[in-house]
């Protein structure tokens, strides 16, 4: 099982529902001295918003392992869409940095059937946390977006300056627009207030803590579950969505977490930074890798009446690699570890007929 990071809860009285209201005035924040060449001091206090999710939990683990003090609040005690409550908590927690990993996320079906919360919930979270961090005088913030912000037919590999140069993929346009708004908000705070706030755009992620729900999961955990259940149930054939021809890039979430800490320490620019591995493969090739890891020996077919999404999505990671980052987790090894984690986390998935 993945170890739970050491976290420090902040103590405040939560409010249960979003309520409009003014953001409190900035409060003084202790300013620990950063080591030469770093923008994040050693042992700094860092708020991780969204620490229960795939990304936030990995970032919290990495920060804790590197000696930082991680501050969190559960969704049950703080609704990040509630701007006044969020601003009060940030002011009282007094961190040196915020990592905004909280978001409503999901795969093609979830985006297609729930466009309103994918747009509105993400906008509210971003407005609340970024404005609240500024009001509290927090000097550093990292906003995590998504590679879906780029045009559907962007030249490959996709550079950061491809943003807003073409039409988005329709199946996740509301989510993408919310993330684009977050990037714009970060830039605005830099331009108007000189805030050292930055944005990173991860590629497709996977790893411990991933969502394996059949209705809302992304492609990799969805494939793991479908092929695992086909093996469990002795199915001679399994039909997967689409044609299998789209190409995707996948990065283990622990590698993303390492990149996030690197960016917090060493990057301070207005442009977003792509975070990926620089290599892609077809969904059909991914399915074969998953089938091999899971041990399914039946036939795989493709339901071409189902949508494929963007034909290819490979990020140009030159900017990140120039900072010294390199991914460490090979795809097959990462899938195997994720599959093992899921079976431990959800043992009922092993039972036939679930």
């Amino acid at each position: 099982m993945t170890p739970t990071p050491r976290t420090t809860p902040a103590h405040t009285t939560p409010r249960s529902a979003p309520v409009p209201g003014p953001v409190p005035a900035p409060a003084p924040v202790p300013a620990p001295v950063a080591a030469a060449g770093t923008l994040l001091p050693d042992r700094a206090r860092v708020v991780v918003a969204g620490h229960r999710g795939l990304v936030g939990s990995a970032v919290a683990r990495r920060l804790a392992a590197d000696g930082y003090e991680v501050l969190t609040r559960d969704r049950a005690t703080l609704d990040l869409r509630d701007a006044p409550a969020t601003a009060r908590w940030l002011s009282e927690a007094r961190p040196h940095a915020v990592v905004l990993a909280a978001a409503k996320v999901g795969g093609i079906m979830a985006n297609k059937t729930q466009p309103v919360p994918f747009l509105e919930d993400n906008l509210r979270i971003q407005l609340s946390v970024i404005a609240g961090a500024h009001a509290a005088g927090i000097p550093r913030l990292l906003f995590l977006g998504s590679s879906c912000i780029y045009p559907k037919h962007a030249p490959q590999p996709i550079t950061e300056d491809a943003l807003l140069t073409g039409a988005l993929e329709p199946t996740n346009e509301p989510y993408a627009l919310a993330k684009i708004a977050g990037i714009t908000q970060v830039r605005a705070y830099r331009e108007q207030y000189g805030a050292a706030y930055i944005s990173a755009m991860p590629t497709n992620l996977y790893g411990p803590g991933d969502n394996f729900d059949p209705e809302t999961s992304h492609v990799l955990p969805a494939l793991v579950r479908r092929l695992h259940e086909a093996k469990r149930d002795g199915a001679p054939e399994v039909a997967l969505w689409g044609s299998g021809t789209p190409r995707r890039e996948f990065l283990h979430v622990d590698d993303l977490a390492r990149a996030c800490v690197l960016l917090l320490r060493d990057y301070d620019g207005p442009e977003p930074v792509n975070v990926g591995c620089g290599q892609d493969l077809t969904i059909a090739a991914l399915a074969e890798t998953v089938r091999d890891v899971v041990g399914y020996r039946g036939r795989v077919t493709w339901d071409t009446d189902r949508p494929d999404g963007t034909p290819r999505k490979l990020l140009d990671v030159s900017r990140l690699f120039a900072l010294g980052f390199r991914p460490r987790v090979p795809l097959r090894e990462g899938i195997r570890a994720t599959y093992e984690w899921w079976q431990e986390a959800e043992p009922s998935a092993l039972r036939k007929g679930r």
Side-chain angles (χ1 to χ4, degrees), residues 6-59:
R6 175 179 61 87
T7 61
T8 303
H11 299 285
T12 121
T13 302
R15 297 175 68 167
S16 59
V19 179
V23 174
V29 175
V33 177
T38 180
L39 295 158
L40 186 66
D42 293 339
R43 299 180 298 280
R45 294 160 60 85
V46 183
V47 161
V48 178
H51 71 288
R52 295 288 190 187
L54 170 67
V55 173
S57 61
V59 172

Side-chain angles (χ1 to χ4, degrees), residues 49 95 146 233 241 302 344 347:
S146 166
D233 298 341
W241 271 35
W302 296 92
E344 292 181 15

